[in-house]
Amino acid sequence: MKHWQSRRGGGGGGDRTRLDELVRAIQPGIYRLSLRFLWLPADAEEATQEILIKVCTRLASFRGDSAFKTWVHRVAANHLISMKRGHTEQRSKSFNDYAAAITNCPDEPIDESASANVEAAVLAEESRAACVSGALLCLDRAQRIAFILGGILGFTSTEAALILQISPANFRQRLSRARSDLQQFMAGQCGLVDPANPCRCTKKTRAFIRFGIVDPERLQFNSARRRLVESEVQRVTQGEDGWQRLFAFDGNEPVPDFAGVIEHALGGHFHQ
């Protein structure tokens, strides 16, 4: 961060280069936070652009009282928590209603001819990713951001508390409530977490395609994910906290490049 703080003023190509470098350095973390908070990639991209503009235009307000990564995620978290609820969030349900909606989706074998270019296993993984992302929307925003920071992105309670500007004890309380609610839902609904549950991604995928939740021609969640089979997923989800692995990501997801868009939005020049 000292590089960005110490070189104020100037203009032209130097500013554009520094803007490009900054955006490319921070965009992956912001996008992945936004994606898990908002569910849909299109919504995450829009939010990420707005957050990046805020970061780039507020660099002078960074005083170095925390790590730069912490400050960037604070800007992002504040934006996500305070932004207007989009269409997807407005349609989000309680855990009970969400479980009922999934149960009411008929069980059908995957139609492998749904897309000649996409394997059935990939479609099932897309359904799995969509389903757990939908479960996150059942949490209120405070619990959701806490779980994403502490349960998915791996921030410590001290780091996450600094991001959210609350005490570590308060953060741990929010994270505990979020984990409890999610664990109860997953244990009572998901057949990957508890084989006694009848719900299986492979059985729901065809209905998800028909209802528009999964588009075989335009995967939203797993274009770069591993092609998992249910036996492998069941293996990695074993154990008391194994269910949380369904919400994890492999770190290799494609992240859009926002540098050109941000430069254009800021008028082609970077001024601190």
Side-chain angles (χ1 to χ4, degrees), residues 40-43 45 115 117-118 123 126 212-223:
L40 294 181
D43 293 342
E45 289 181 22
S115 171
N117 299 318
V118 183
L123 291 175
E126 178 82 352
I213 300 171
V214 170
D215 183 351
E217 304 297 340
R218 191 171 179 233
L219 300 182
Q220 298 195 88
F221 298 99
N222 69 355
S223 58

Side-chain angles (χ1 to χ4, degrees), residues 82-218:
S82 62
M83 66 185 293
K84 182 179 179 180
R85 290 171 65 88
H87 181 65
T88 303
E89 258 196 307
Q90 290 176 8
R91 293 174 54 195
S92 63
K93 304 173 180 291
S94 68
F95 281 108
N96 288 337
D97 289 342
Y98 188 50
I102 295 173
T103 300
N104 290 335
C105 285
D107 290 345
E108 306 171 69
I110 294 178
D111 183 358
E112 298 193 34
S113 65
S115 171
N117 299 318
V118 183
E119 297 176 4
V122 177
L123 291 175
E125 175 64 5
E126 178 82 352
S127 297
R128 184 178 302 122
C131 187
V132 297
S133 296
L136 284 175
L137 289 183
C138 295
L139 296 170
D140 65 40
R141 284 184 166 184
Q143 290 187 7
R144 193 188 322 158
I145 199 73
F147 182 77
I148 294 170
L149 291 173
I152 298 178
L153 299 182
F155 284 94
T156 67
S157 59
T158 300
E159 292 168 335
L162 286 171
I163 290 170
L164 299 178
Q165 297 179 291
I166 58 178
S167 70
N170 195 340
F171 172 77
R172 288 192 292 269
Q173 186 178 49
R174 289 186 191 181
L175 178 59
S176 177
R177 287 198 299 264
R179 279 178 169 154
S180 178
D181 289 346
L182 283 171
Q183 183 178 23
Q184 184 176 2
F185 168 77
M186 298 297 289
Q189 179 70 27
C190 183
L192 296 172
V193 175
D194 184 350
N197 293 322
C199 190
R200 296 292 187 278
C201 305
T202 52
K203 294 180 180 180
K204 300 297 183 182
T205 297
R206 191 173 182 180
F208 279 15
I209 293 173
R210 189 166 59 251
F211 296 153
I213 300 171
V214 170
D215 183 351
E217 304 297 340
R218 191 171 179 233

